[in-house]
Amino acid sequence: MNKESVRIKKIKLFGDRVLEFARIYYRNKYGLAGLIILTFFIFLALFAPFIAPYTPSDTFLAEPFSPPSSKFLLGTDELGRDIFSLLIYGTWTSMTVGVLASLLTVIIGTFVGIYAGYYGGIVQSILMRLTDFFLILPALPLMIVLAAILGPSIWNIIFVISIVSWPVTARVIMSQTLSVKESSYVEASKALGAGDTYIIFRHILPNVTPLIFAYVILNIAGAILAEAGLSFLGLGDPSHISWGMMLYYADQFGALVAGIWWYILPPGLAISLLVLSFMMIGYALDEIINPRIRRR
Amino acid sequence: MSILEVNNLRVYYDTMRGEVKAVDGVSFKLEKGEIFSIVGESGCGKTTTSNTIMRILPPEAVIKSGSITFDGINLLEIPEKEMKKIRWKRIAMVFQNAMNALNPVKNVGSQIVDAITTHLNIPEAEAWRKVKELFELVGLDPSRLKDYPHEFSGGMRQRVFIAMALSCDPEILIADEPTTGLDVIVQRNILNLLRDLRKKLGLSIILITHDLAAVAQVSDKIAIMYAGKIVEYGNIYDIFTRPRHPYTYLLIKSFPKIGSKKERLVTIKGSPPSLINPPKGCRFHPRCPYAIEKCRIEEPPLVNINNKGLVACHLYDQLNLVI
Amino acid sequence: MGLREFVFKRLIDGAILFFMTVTLNFFLFRVMPGDPTAFLIENPKFTAETRKALLKLFGLDKPLWEQYLIYIKNSFTFNFGISFQYLAPVRDLIFSVRLLNTLALMIPATLLATILGVIVGTVAAWRRGSKFDSTSTFVSLVFYSTPVYWIGLLVMLVFAYYLGILPFRGSITPGIKYENVFQFAADYLWHLTGPLLTLTLVNFGGYLLIMRSNLLDVFSQDYIVAARAKGLSERTILFSYGMRNAILPIVTLTGLNMAFSISGAVLTETVFSWYGMGRLIYEAVNQRDYPLLEGIFFLLALMVIIANIITDIIYAYLDPRIKY
Ligand SMILES: Nc1ncnc2c1ncn2[C@@H]1O[C@H](COP(=O)(O)OP(=O)(O)O)[C@@H](O)[C@H]1O
Ligand code: SF4
Ligand SMILES: [Mg+2]
C-alpha cells in the first residue's frame, strides 16, 4: 500500500467513526434536546440587534417596572428598559463568557496535565499538589476575591473563572497522558530518538484531543453559572448586560417584595435553560463515551 | 444417566453494534459424577453458556432457542421462583475471577454464610460452623474466616469461592476458568482439589477453561468450542490421541508435551472472529490451514464418529492429524 | 501501615494545604494589589494611631520575605487587621454568631441533600430505565443547571410574597423580644426553612446522579452477578452488596463537595440575607472591605481542608481495602 491510500483509508476510518458517533448521538434524546435549545440561544446571541425591539440603552424613565404588555413583551426594569430586549442582549454575554472561559480553562488544564503527566517525577508531584489544592478550594469565594481585586471587566471575569476551574481538566488530561506515555509506540518513538516536543505533538495531543473537546463542552455550563453568580453578587461588568446582572438589579431594586415576577422569572429561566442545554449535551457525551451505560 | 443435558442452545447479546451470537447451537451432556470440560479461546461463549445454565444472564442477553434439562425439568422454562430453589442449592458455580466475584467490603466468611442461610434452613451460628468445615475441606485456614477478599492470594481466593460454591451441597458444580491467571503449581493444586472433591462429594463438574493442557489430567470428557459452537466432543483419551478437528489438533500442538520439548510450538494464526458477523461456512475457515472451497460456503455438520465422539469438519475423515 | 499512620499522613497533607492557603492569601492580598498599604490601611475612617499599629502588625515597611513570615504568624491567630466597614478586628467578626449561622444552614443542608440523593439515586439505579429513573435524572440535571439564588428568589416569591407563610429575609424577626428559648427557636427555624430548602435542592441533584452512577457501576460488577447466582434476596443484594460498595465514594465526595456547598451557601445566604459568613463576604465585596474578605476566605478554605481530611479518614476507616 502506498502512502496516499493509507491516508485515504485513515480518513475513511475517521469518517466512519464520526458517522457512528453522530448516529448514536442522534438517538440520545438528551443530546438532541440540548442541541436544539443551544442552537436557539446561539441564534439569539448572534442576531440580538435584529431580534430585540430595543437596545439596552433605550430607557423609558417614565415607565419603570411596567408589567408585560404589547409594547414591552416582558415589562420593564427600574430604568424603564425593555426586559425582553435585555434578555436577548444578555445571551451574548453569557455565551461569550461561557465559551471563552471554558476554552481558557481547558487550555490551562491541558497544559498542566500534559506537562505533569509527560515529565513525571518531581514536576508531576508539585503540579498535582497544586491541582489538588485548587480542586478543594471553595470556588466561588476564590472567584469573588479575585474579581474584587482585579475589578469588574468581562475579561477579568473570564480569567477569574478559568484560573479557578482548570484542575478537573488537568487531572483527566494527566491520567490520559500517563497511559499514552506508557504505550508501546511512544516507547518505540523514544527509542528511535524522537524529541519530547515531537512526541507530545505527534502522540500525546492527538490522543487527548477527544477529551479536550468533551471538557470544553462540559466546562461551559459551569462557566456560565459562575459568570451569572459573580454578576448576581454585583461583580459583573456594568458595560455588558448579563442575566446574572439583571437578577442583581431586580434584587437590589426590590422586585421581590413588590412581586414584580416579570423581572425575576425570565433571567433565571434563561440561565437555567442555557446551562441545562450544555448539561444535557454533556450527559449525552458521557453516555456515549462511557461504555457501561452505552451497552444496550 | 446424564444429570444435565444442554440441547441446541443459542444465546445472543443485543448490542448497539448488532447481535452478538455468543452461543450458537450448543449441545452436550453431563454424566453423573464426571468432570466435563469445555475448552476454547477467550470470547468463544464459554461464560455465556455457564451463565445460561445458572440463569444469571444480563438483560441484554436473549435466549434464542434450546433447552437445558436438569432432573427432568427444563431450566429455561421454569419460573424464577423455581429456579431460585435450584440455583446454588443444586447447581453452584465458581466464577471466572474470584477477586471480582467476591464482595470487596464484606469478609469472606459472612459472604458464605449469606449463601447458606438463604438456602438451608439453619441458624446463623450453625452456618458459621459449616463455613469452618468448608474451609478445612478446601484446604484453607479456618482462622481466616473473617478476612476480606483482598487479604487472600489468588489461589486462596479460588478456594474461598469453591468453598462458597459447595456451601449448600450442590449436585453440579460449574467452574468457569477457576485457574486462569494463577501460576502453574497453584493451578495444578486447584484442579486436583476439584478432582478430589468430585470423588469425596460425588459431584458432577463442568470445568471451563481456555487452557487445554491444564485440564487434560482431570477431565473425563471434553468439548472444544470455537466461535459460539462446539466443534469437537469426545472423551479425553480419544481427543488427545486422535483429534479430528483441525482446531483441536492445533490446540494440542500448541502446548509443549513433557519429553518432547524440542518440538516446535505450533501457534494458531489470526484471531477469533467477530461474533456479530461470523464467517460464513465453517467459522474456523479463515484460520484453518486445511480449508477448502467448500469450507467457505457450507457449514460442516456435527457428525458422530463411531460413537466415539462428535466433530464438525468437512474433512474429518480425510485429514490425518497425527499428534 | 496502620490507621494511625494514615491519619498522621493526612494531617501532614493538611498542614501542607494550610501553608499553601496562607501563601495564596499572601499572594492575593499583599503581592497582587501592588500597593497593599492603600489596599489595607488607608481608610479615611481609621485614626493615625490605628494606621500605625496596622503598619506594624503587617510589617508593610519591611522586605517582602519578612512580610511573608509575619503573615504566616498572623494567619495562625487569624490576625487579619481591622475591617474597613465595621471598624472591628476581622477575627471578632468571623468568629461570631455568623459562623454558627452558616454552620446551622450548611450542615443540615449537606446532610439532607446527601440522604435524599442517596435514597432517590438508589431507587433510580435499581429501577434503571423506568419512568422514575428518567424523571429523577432529568430533575437533577435541572436543579444542577439552575442558579441557587434564583431558586431562592422563587422560593420567596411563592412562599413569602404569594402565600405569605415564610418570611422574606433575615435569620430572625428584627426587633422582636423573645419570651423563652422555644419562641426564639421557632422564629429561627421559620427563617431557616427557605434557605435550607433552597440549598438542599441544589446540592441534592449532584448526589443523586453520583449515587445512581456508582450503583450502576457496582451492579455491573461480578460480585453482584455472583450474589444473584447465590440466590440472595434482592434486598440483601441491594443493601449488603450493592449500596455498601456504592456509598463509600459518597463519603469522600461529601468532603470534596464542601467547596461546592460553600459556594451555594454564599449565594443562598446573600439572597436570603441570612446572617452568616456568605452574607458577610457579599458585604465585604461590595464595600471593598479587603481585610474582612481576606479573613473570610481564609476561614472558608480552612473549613474545606478540614472537612476533606475528616472525610478521608472516615473513608479509610470504613473501607477494608484501604491499605493506607
Ligand atoms: N453483556 C454482554 N454484552 C454484549 N456482548 C457480550 C456480553 N457478554 C459477553 N459478550 C460477548 O459474547 C462473546 C462470548 O463471551 P463469553 O461468553 O464471555 O466468552 P468466554 O467466556 O468464552 O470468554 C464475546 O464475544 C463477548 O464479547
Ligand atoms: S471445515 Fe474446513 S475450515 Fe473448517 S475446520 Fe474443517 S477443514 Fe478447516
Ligand atoms: Mg469467560
PDB file of all heavy atoms in Angstrom, chain B residues 87-88 95 100-101 103-106 111 114 118-119 150 164, chain C residues 222-223 226 228-232 240-241 244-245 248 320-321:
ATOM      1  N   ARG B  87     -30.796 -22.910  41.890  1.00  0.00           N
ATOM      2  CA  ARG B  87     -29.572 -22.139  41.799  1.00  0.00           C
ATOM      3  C   ARG B  87     -28.826 -22.181  43.144  1.00  0.00           C
ATOM      4  O   ARG B  87     -29.395 -21.893  44.187  1.00  0.00           O
ATOM      5  CB  ARG B  87     -29.935 -20.705  41.431  1.00  0.00           C
ATOM      6  CG  ARG B  87     -28.853 -19.955  40.728  1.00  0.00           C
ATOM      7  CD  ARG B  87     -29.251 -18.515  40.581  1.00  0.00           C
ATOM      8  NE  ARG B  87     -30.093 -18.258  39.408  1.00  0.00           N
ATOM      9  CZ  ARG B  87     -31.166 -17.487  39.431  1.00  0.00           C
ATOM     10  NH1 ARG B  87     -31.567 -16.942  40.549  1.00  0.00           N
ATOM     11  NH2 ARG B  87     -31.855 -17.275  38.341  1.00  0.00           N
ATOM     12  N   TRP B  88     -27.587 -22.532  43.069  1.00  0.00           N
ATOM     13  CA  TRP B  88     -26.663 -22.626  44.213  1.00  0.00           C
ATOM     14  C   TRP B  88     -26.989 -23.796  45.136  1.00  0.00           C
ATOM     15  O   TRP B  88     -26.130 -24.424  45.700  1.00  0.00           O
ATOM     16  CB  TRP B  88     -26.627 -21.331  45.051  1.00  0.00           C
ATOM     17  CG  TRP B  88     -25.239 -21.052  45.537  1.00  0.00           C
ATOM     18  CD1 TRP B  88     -24.740 -21.334  46.769  1.00  0.00           C
ATOM     19  CD2 TRP B  88     -24.180 -20.488  44.792  1.00  0.00           C
ATOM     20  NE1 TRP B  88     -23.426 -20.974  46.834  1.00  0.00           N
ATOM     21  CE2 TRP B  88     -23.052 -20.447  45.623  1.00  0.00           C
ATOM     22  CE3 TRP B  88     -24.080 -20.016  43.475  1.00  0.00           C
ATOM     23  CZ2 TRP B  88     -21.838 -19.934  45.184  1.00  0.00           C
ATOM     24  CZ3 TRP B  88     -22.868 -19.507  43.054  1.00  0.00           C
ATOM     25  CH2 TRP B  88     -21.766 -19.476  43.906  1.00  0.00           C
ATOM     26  N   PHE B  95     -16.808 -18.571  39.898  1.00  0.00           N
ATOM     27  CA  PHE B  95     -16.706 -17.545  38.863  1.00  0.00           C
ATOM     28  C   PHE B  95     -15.318 -17.431  38.291  1.00  0.00           C
ATOM     29  O   PHE B  95     -14.321 -17.812  38.902  1.00  0.00           O
ATOM     30  CB  PHE B  95     -17.162 -16.193  39.415  1.00  0.00           C
ATOM     31  CG  PHE B  95     -18.646 -16.029  39.371  1.00  0.00           C
ATOM     32  CD1 PHE B  95     -19.459 -16.799  40.192  1.00  0.00           C
ATOM     33  CD2 PHE B  95     -19.229 -15.129  38.512  1.00  0.00           C
ATOM     34  CE1 PHE B  95     -20.827 -16.664  40.157  1.00  0.00           C
ATOM     35  CE2 PHE B  95     -20.598 -14.981  38.475  1.00  0.00           C
ATOM     36  CZ  PHE B  95     -21.394 -15.741  39.291  1.00  0.00           C
ATOM     37  N   ASN B 100     -12.979 -10.429  41.577  1.00  0.00           N
ATOM     38  CA  ASN B 100     -14.097  -9.550  41.266  1.00  0.00           C
ATOM     39  C   ASN B 100     -15.424 -10.114  41.722  1.00  0.00           C
ATOM     40  O   ASN B 100     -16.397  -9.395  41.839  1.00  0.00           O
ATOM     41  CB  ASN B 100     -14.171  -9.286  39.763  1.00  0.00           C
ATOM     42  CG  ASN B 100     -12.937  -8.572  39.269  1.00  0.00           C
ATOM     43  OD1 ASN B 100     -12.238  -7.948  40.054  1.00  0.00           O
ATOM     44  ND2 ASN B 100     -12.664  -8.701  37.989  1.00  0.00           N
ATOM     45  N   ALA B 101     -15.470 -11.411  41.916  1.00  0.00           N
ATOM     46  CA  ALA B 101     -16.743 -12.040  42.236  1.00  0.00           C
ATOM     47  C   ALA B 101     -17.002 -12.093  43.740  1.00  0.00           C
ATOM     48  O   ALA B 101     -18.057 -12.520  44.168  1.00  0.00           O
ATOM     49  CB  ALA B 101     -16.807 -13.438  41.633  1.00  0.00           C
ATOM     50  N   ASN B 103     -17.456  -9.887  47.164  1.00  0.00           N
ATOM     51  CA  ASN B 103     -17.740  -8.522  47.586  1.00  0.00           C
ATOM     52  C   ASN B 103     -16.543  -7.969  48.360  1.00  0.00           C
ATOM     53  O   ASN B 103     -16.183  -8.510  49.399  1.00  0.00           O
ATOM     54  CB  ASN B 103     -18.990  -8.539  48.460  1.00  0.00           C
ATOM     55  CG  ASN B 103     -19.442  -7.151  48.867  1.00  0.00           C
ATOM     56  OD1 ASN B 103     -18.711  -6.187  48.692  1.00  0.00           O
ATOM     57  ND2 ASN B 103     -20.634  -7.062  49.412  1.00  0.00           N
ATOM     58  N   PRO B 104     -15.930  -6.891  47.861  1.00  0.00           N
ATOM     59  CA  PRO B 104     -14.683  -6.433  48.473  1.00  0.00           C
ATOM     60  C   PRO B 104     -14.837  -5.863  49.880  1.00  0.00           C
ATOM     61  O   PRO B 104     -13.854  -5.781  50.612  1.00  0.00           O
ATOM     62  CB  PRO B 104     -14.197  -5.338  47.517  1.00  0.00           C
ATOM     63  CG  PRO B 104     -15.391  -4.925  46.760  1.00  0.00           C
ATOM     64  CD  PRO B 104     -16.282  -6.116  46.670  1.00  0.00           C
ATOM     65  N   VAL B 105     -16.034  -5.449  50.243  1.00  0.00           N
ATOM     66  CA  VAL B 105     -16.162  -4.794  51.542  1.00  0.00           C
ATOM     67  C   VAL B 105     -16.869  -5.662  52.588  1.00  0.00           C
ATOM     68  O   VAL B 105     -17.375  -5.175  53.574  1.00  0.00           O
ATOM     69  CB  VAL B 105     -16.895  -3.432  51.428  1.00  0.00           C
ATOM     70  CG1 VAL B 105     -16.114  -2.488  50.539  1.00  0.00           C
ATOM     71  CG2 VAL B 105     -18.305  -3.608  50.919  1.00  0.00           C
ATOM     72  N   LYS B 106     -16.887  -6.985  52.336  1.00  0.00           N
ATOM     73  CA  LYS B 106     -17.538  -7.879  53.282  1.00  0.00           C
ATOM     74  C   LYS B 106     -16.580  -9.038  53.529  1.00  0.00           C
ATOM     75  O   LYS B 106     -15.955  -9.525  52.586  1.00  0.00           O
ATOM     76  CB  LYS B 106     -18.823  -8.411  52.616  1.00  0.00           C
ATOM     77  CG  LYS B 106     -19.969  -8.639  53.560  1.00  0.00           C
ATOM     78  CD  LYS B 106     -21.234  -8.829  52.738  1.00  0.00           C
ATOM     79  CE  LYS B 106     -22.118  -9.791  53.421  1.00  0.00           C
ATOM     80  NZ  LYS B 106     -23.115  -9.542  54.258  1.00  0.00           N
ATOM     81  N   GLN B 111     -19.900 -13.823  53.605  1.00  0.00           N
ATOM     82  CA  GLN B 111     -20.446 -13.985  52.251  1.00  0.00           C
ATOM     83  C   GLN B 111     -20.894 -15.422  52.031  1.00  0.00           C
ATOM     84  O   GLN B 111     -21.878 -15.687  51.336  1.00  0.00           O
ATOM     85  CB  GLN B 111     -19.409 -13.595  51.197  1.00  0.00           C
ATOM     86  CG  GLN B 111     -19.063 -12.116  51.256  1.00  0.00           C
ATOM     87  CD  GLN B 111     -18.179 -11.671  50.099  1.00  0.00           C
ATOM     88  OE1 GLN B 111     -18.483 -11.938  48.940  1.00  0.00           O
ATOM     89  NE2 GLN B 111     -17.098 -10.995  50.408  1.00  0.00           N
ATOM     90  N   ASP B 114     -24.104 -15.897  54.048  1.00  0.00           N
ATOM     91  CA  ASP B 114     -25.245 -15.363  53.298  1.00  0.00           C
ATOM     92  C   ASP B 114     -25.859 -16.434  52.406  1.00  0.00           C
ATOM     93  O   ASP B 114     -27.076 -16.598  52.346  1.00  0.00           O
ATOM     94  CB  ASP B 114     -24.799 -14.189  52.406  1.00  0.00           C
ATOM     95  CG  ASP B 114     -24.782 -12.878  53.156  1.00  0.00           C
ATOM     96  OD1 ASP B 114     -25.277 -12.846  54.302  1.00  0.00           O
ATOM     97  OD2 ASP B 114     -24.265 -11.886  52.601  1.00  0.00           O
ATOM     98  N   THR B 118     -29.517 -18.423  53.110  1.00  0.00           N
ATOM     99  CA  THR B 118     -30.564 -18.240  52.104  1.00  0.00           C
ATOM    100  C   THR B 118     -31.204 -19.568  51.712  1.00  0.00           C
ATOM    101  O   THR B 118     -32.410 -19.641  51.502  1.00  0.00           O
ATOM    102  CB  THR B 118     -29.972 -17.567  50.841  1.00  0.00           C
ATOM    103  OG1 THR B 118     -29.287 -16.393  51.225  1.00  0.00           O
ATOM    104  CG2 THR B 118     -31.071 -17.206  49.852  1.00  0.00           C
ATOM    105  N   HIS B 119     -30.368 -20.612  51.630  1.00  0.00           N
ATOM    106  CA  HIS B 119     -30.886 -21.859  51.066  1.00  0.00           C
ATOM    107  C   HIS B 119     -31.176 -22.944  52.085  1.00  0.00           C
ATOM    108  O   HIS B 119     -32.056 -23.777  51.881  1.00  0.00           O
ATOM    109  CB  HIS B 119     -29.903 -22.408  50.024  1.00  0.00           C
ATOM    110  CG  HIS B 119     -29.765 -21.517  48.840  1.00  0.00           C
ATOM    111  ND1 HIS B 119     -30.706 -21.460  47.845  1.00  0.00           N
ATOM    112  CD2 HIS B 119     -28.811 -20.624  48.488  1.00  0.00           C
ATOM    113  CE1 HIS B 119     -30.341 -20.576  46.936  1.00  0.00           C
ATOM    114  NE2 HIS B 119     -29.185 -20.058  47.313  1.00  0.00           N
ATOM    115  N   HIS B 150      -9.376  -9.101  49.651  1.00  0.00           N
ATOM    116  CA  HIS B 150      -8.076  -8.622  49.189  1.00  0.00           C
ATOM    117  C   HIS B 150      -6.937  -9.139  50.052  1.00  0.00           C
ATOM    118  O   HIS B 150      -5.772  -8.998  49.685  1.00  0.00           O
ATOM    119  CB  HIS B 150      -8.061  -7.096  49.147  1.00  0.00           C
ATOM    120  CG  HIS B 150      -8.041  -6.457  50.508  1.00  0.00           C
ATOM    121  ND1 HIS B 150      -9.178  -6.135  51.193  1.00  0.00           N
ATOM    122  CD2 HIS B 150      -7.010  -6.123  51.309  1.00  0.00           C
ATOM    123  CE1 HIS B 150      -8.854  -5.605  52.357  1.00  0.00           C
ATOM    124  NE2 HIS B 150      -7.547  -5.588  52.454  1.00  0.00           N
ATOM    125  N   MET B 164     -17.499 -21.565  48.898  1.00  0.00           N
ATOM    126  CA  MET B 164     -18.804 -20.916  48.801  1.00  0.00           C
ATOM    127  C   MET B 164     -19.728 -21.707  47.876  1.00  0.00           C
ATOM    128  O   MET B 164     -20.908 -21.882  48.156  1.00  0.00           O
ATOM    129  CB  MET B 164     -18.638 -19.486  48.303  1.00  0.00           C
ATOM    130  CG  MET B 164     -19.909 -18.703  48.249  1.00  0.00           C
ATOM    131  SD  MET B 164     -19.619 -16.997  48.676  1.00  0.00           S
ATOM    132  CE  MET B 164     -18.909 -16.408  47.173  1.00  0.00           C
TER     133      MET B 164
ATOM    134  N   ASP C 222     -18.872  -8.271  38.930  1.00  0.00           N
ATOM    135  CA  ASP C 222     -19.068  -9.713  39.068  1.00  0.00           C
ATOM    136  C   ASP C 222     -19.668 -10.097  40.415  1.00  0.00           C
ATOM    137  O   ASP C 222     -20.412 -11.057  40.511  1.00  0.00           O
ATOM    138  CB  ASP C 222     -17.734 -10.441  38.894  1.00  0.00           C
ATOM    139  CG  ASP C 222     -17.380 -10.594  37.432  1.00  0.00           C
ATOM    140  OD1 ASP C 222     -18.245 -10.255  36.598  1.00  0.00           O
ATOM    141  OD2 ASP C 222     -16.267 -11.047  37.131  1.00  0.00           O
ATOM    142  N   TYR C 223     -19.312  -9.371  41.476  1.00  0.00           N
ATOM    143  CA  TYR C 223     -19.798  -9.821  42.775  1.00  0.00           C
ATOM    144  C   TYR C 223     -21.302  -9.661  42.921  1.00  0.00           C
ATOM    145  O   TYR C 223     -21.919 -10.328  43.752  1.00  0.00           O
ATOM    146  CB  TYR C 223     -19.053  -9.178  43.943  1.00  0.00           C
ATOM    147  CG  TYR C 223     -18.984  -7.680  43.966  1.00  0.00           C
ATOM    148  CD1 TYR C 223     -20.050  -6.937  44.419  1.00  0.00           C
ATOM    149  CD2 TYR C 223     -17.837  -7.023  43.550  1.00  0.00           C
ATOM    150  CE1 TYR C 223     -19.975  -5.546  44.460  1.00  0.00           C
ATOM    151  CE2 TYR C 223     -17.756  -5.651  43.580  1.00  0.00           C
ATOM    152  CZ  TYR C 223     -18.819  -4.913  44.031  1.00  0.00           C
ATOM    153  OH  TYR C 223     -18.758  -3.553  44.067  1.00  0.00           O
ATOM    154  N   ALA C 226     -22.532 -12.674  41.068  1.00  0.00           N
ATOM    155  CA  ALA C 226     -22.305 -13.817  41.949  1.00  0.00           C
ATOM    156  C   ALA C 226     -23.345 -13.850  43.067  1.00  0.00           C
ATOM    157  O   ALA C 226     -23.853 -14.907  43.424  1.00  0.00           O
ATOM    158  CB  ALA C 226     -20.893 -13.763  42.530  1.00  0.00           C
ATOM    159  N   ARG C 228     -26.340 -12.747  42.901  1.00  0.00           N
ATOM    160  CA  ARG C 228     -27.576 -13.239  42.288  1.00  0.00           C
ATOM    161  C   ARG C 228     -27.511 -14.749  42.150  1.00  0.00           C
ATOM    162  O   ARG C 228     -28.466 -15.462  42.449  1.00  0.00           O
ATOM    163  CB  ARG C 228     -27.756 -12.640  40.897  1.00  0.00           C
ATOM    164  CG  ARG C 228     -28.094 -11.213  40.880  1.00  0.00           C
ATOM    165  CD  ARG C 228     -29.358 -10.957  40.041  1.00  0.00           C
ATOM    166  NE  ARG C 228     -29.897  -9.678  40.442  1.00  0.00           N
ATOM    167  CZ  ARG C 228     -29.391  -8.514  40.015  1.00  0.00           C
ATOM    168  NH1 ARG C 228     -28.418  -8.500  39.136  1.00  0.00           N
ATOM    169  NH2 ARG C 228     -29.873  -7.381  40.446  1.00  0.00           N
ATOM    170  N   ALA C 229     -26.352 -15.220  41.662  1.00  0.00           N
ATOM    171  CA  ALA C 229     -26.201 -16.658  41.459  1.00  0.00           C
ATOM    172  C   ALA C 229     -26.363 -17.396  42.774  1.00  0.00           C
ATOM    173  O   ALA C 229     -26.898 -18.499  42.821  1.00  0.00           O
ATOM    174  CB  ALA C 229     -24.835 -16.958  40.848  1.00  0.00           C
ATOM    175  N   LYS C 230     -25.905 -16.781  43.851  1.00  0.00           N
ATOM    176  CA  LYS C 230     -26.047 -17.420  45.154  1.00  0.00           C
ATOM    177  C   LYS C 230     -27.496 -17.474  45.588  1.00  0.00           C
ATOM    178  O   LYS C 230     -27.825 -18.124  46.572  1.00  0.00           O
ATOM    179  CB  LYS C 230     -25.241 -16.628  46.209  1.00  0.00           C
ATOM    180  CG  LYS C 230     -23.765 -16.924  46.161  1.00  0.00           C
ATOM    181  CD  LYS C 230     -23.065 -16.516  47.434  1.00  0.00           C
ATOM    182  CE  LYS C 230     -22.904 -15.020  47.547  1.00  0.00           C
ATOM    183  NZ  LYS C 230     -22.087 -14.632  48.705  1.00  0.00           N
ATOM    184  N   GLY C 231     -28.352 -16.759  44.885  1.00  0.00           N
ATOM    185  CA  GLY C 231     -29.775 -16.797  45.202  1.00  0.00           C
ATOM    186  C   GLY C 231     -30.158 -15.849  46.317  1.00  0.00           C
ATOM    187  O   GLY C 231     -31.250 -15.941  46.867  1.00  0.00           O
ATOM    188  N   LEU C 232     -29.272 -14.911  46.675  1.00  0.00           N
ATOM    189  CA  LEU C 232     -29.599 -13.980  47.747  1.00  0.00           C
ATOM    190  C   LEU C 232     -30.823 -13.151  47.363  1.00  0.00           C
ATOM    191  O   LEU C 232     -31.086 -12.927  46.193  1.00  0.00           O
ATOM    192  CB  LEU C 232     -28.413 -13.041  47.999  1.00  0.00           C
ATOM    193  CG  LEU C 232     -27.086 -13.699  48.332  1.00  0.00           C
ATOM    194  CD1 LEU C 232     -26.055 -12.649  48.705  1.00  0.00           C
ATOM    195  CD2 LEU C 232     -27.250 -14.701  49.462  1.00  0.00           C
ATOM    196  N   SER C 240     -26.624  -5.103  51.136  1.00  0.00           N
ATOM    197  CA  SER C 240     -25.394  -5.637  51.688  1.00  0.00           C
ATOM    198  C   SER C 240     -24.289  -5.746  50.636  1.00  0.00           C
ATOM    199  O   SER C 240     -23.110  -5.731  50.956  1.00  0.00           O
ATOM    200  CB  SER C 240     -25.710  -7.002  52.283  1.00  0.00           C
ATOM    201  OG  SER C 240     -24.617  -7.534  52.907  1.00  0.00           O
ATOM    202  N   TYR C 241     -24.686  -5.856  49.379  1.00  0.00           N
ATOM    203  CA  TYR C 241     -23.682  -5.994  48.324  1.00  0.00           C
ATOM    204  C   TYR C 241     -23.600  -4.750  47.449  1.00  0.00           C
ATOM    205  O   TYR C 241     -22.524  -4.317  47.074  1.00  0.00           O
ATOM    206  CB  TYR C 241     -23.974  -7.235  47.466  1.00  0.00           C
ATOM    207  CG  TYR C 241     -23.649  -8.526  48.186  1.00  0.00           C
ATOM    208  CD1 TYR C 241     -24.407  -8.944  49.267  1.00  0.00           C
ATOM    209  CD2 TYR C 241     -22.577  -9.301  47.794  1.00  0.00           C
ATOM    210  CE1 TYR C 241     -24.105 -10.113  49.943  1.00  0.00           C
ATOM    211  CE2 TYR C 241     -22.266 -10.481  48.457  1.00  0.00           C
ATOM    212  CZ  TYR C 241     -23.025 -10.876  49.533  1.00  0.00           C
ATOM    213  OH  TYR C 241     -22.711 -12.023  50.196  1.00  0.00           O
ATOM    214  N   ARG C 244     -23.548  -0.987  49.920  1.00  0.00           N
ATOM    215  CA  ARG C 244     -22.369  -0.953  50.774  1.00  0.00           C
ATOM    216  C   ARG C 244     -21.124  -0.570  49.972  1.00  0.00           C
ATOM    217  O   ARG C 244     -20.219   0.062  50.488  1.00  0.00           O
ATOM    218  CB  ARG C 244     -22.177  -2.334  51.393  1.00  0.00           C
ATOM    219  CG  ARG C 244     -21.435  -2.289  52.686  1.00  0.00           C
ATOM    220  CD  ARG C 244     -21.881  -3.414  53.551  1.00  0.00           C
ATOM    221  NE  ARG C 244     -20.768  -3.924  54.327  1.00  0.00           N
ATOM    222  CZ  ARG C 244     -20.871  -4.947  55.152  1.00  0.00           C
ATOM    223  NH1 ARG C 244     -22.013  -5.569  55.277  1.00  0.00           N
ATOM    224  NH2 ARG C 244     -19.835  -5.357  55.828  1.00  0.00           N
ATOM    225  N   ASN C 245     -21.108  -0.974  48.713  1.00  0.00           N
ATOM    226  CA  ASN C 245     -19.978  -0.583  47.872  1.00  0.00           C
ATOM    227  C   ASN C 245     -20.161   0.792  47.259  1.00  0.00           C
ATOM    228  O   ASN C 245     -19.209   1.547  47.114  1.00  0.00           O
ATOM    229  CB  ASN C 245     -19.781  -1.601  46.745  1.00  0.00           C
ATOM    230  CG  ASN C 245     -19.019  -2.809  47.218  1.00  0.00           C
ATOM    231  OD1 ASN C 245     -17.821  -2.732  47.416  1.00  0.00           O
ATOM    232  ND2 ASN C 245     -19.710  -3.908  47.450  1.00  0.00           N
ATOM    233  N   LEU C 248     -19.626   4.147  49.632  1.00  0.00           N
ATOM    234  CA  LEU C 248     -18.308   4.543  50.131  1.00  0.00           C
ATOM    235  C   LEU C 248     -17.755   5.803  49.462  1.00  0.00           C
ATOM    236  O   LEU C 248     -17.333   6.727  50.155  1.00  0.00           O
ATOM    237  CB  LEU C 248     -17.324   3.385  49.974  1.00  0.00           C
ATOM    238  CG  LEU C 248     -17.309   2.390  51.135  1.00  0.00           C
ATOM    239  CD1 LEU C 248     -16.398   1.219  50.801  1.00  0.00           C
ATOM    240  CD2 LEU C 248     -16.833   3.051  52.407  1.00  0.00           C
ATOM    241  N   PRO C 320     -12.406  -1.598  54.037  1.00  0.00           N
ATOM    242  CA  PRO C 320     -11.390  -2.550  54.467  1.00  0.00           C
ATOM    243  C   PRO C 320     -10.242  -2.683  53.475  1.00  0.00           C
ATOM    244  O   PRO C 320      -9.178  -3.167  53.832  1.00  0.00           O
ATOM    245  CB  PRO C 320     -12.170  -3.866  54.544  1.00  0.00           C
ATOM    246  CG  PRO C 320     -13.344  -3.675  53.663  1.00  0.00           C
ATOM    247  CD  PRO C 320     -13.686  -2.219  53.744  1.00  0.00           C
ATOM    248  N   ARG C 321     -10.463  -2.258  52.213  1.00  0.00           N
ATOM    249  CA  ARG C 321      -9.416  -2.446  51.217  1.00  0.00           C
ATOM    250  C   ARG C 321      -8.288  -1.456  51.354  1.00  0.00           C
ATOM    251  O   ARG C 321      -7.188  -1.681  50.878  1.00  0.00           O
ATOM    252  CB  ARG C 321      -9.998  -2.279  49.810  1.00  0.00           C
ATOM    253  CG  ARG C 321     -10.641  -3.508  49.284  1.00  0.00           C
ATOM    254  CD  ARG C 321     -11.470  -3.154  48.089  1.00  0.00           C
ATOM    255  NE  ARG C 321     -12.456  -2.140  48.433  1.00  0.00           N
ATOM    256  CZ  ARG C 321     -13.354  -1.679  47.586  1.00  0.00           C
ATOM    257  NH1 ARG C 321     -13.377  -2.100  46.360  1.00  0.00           N
ATOM    258  NH2 ARG C 321     -14.235  -0.784  47.964  1.00  0.00           N
TER     259      ARG C 321
END
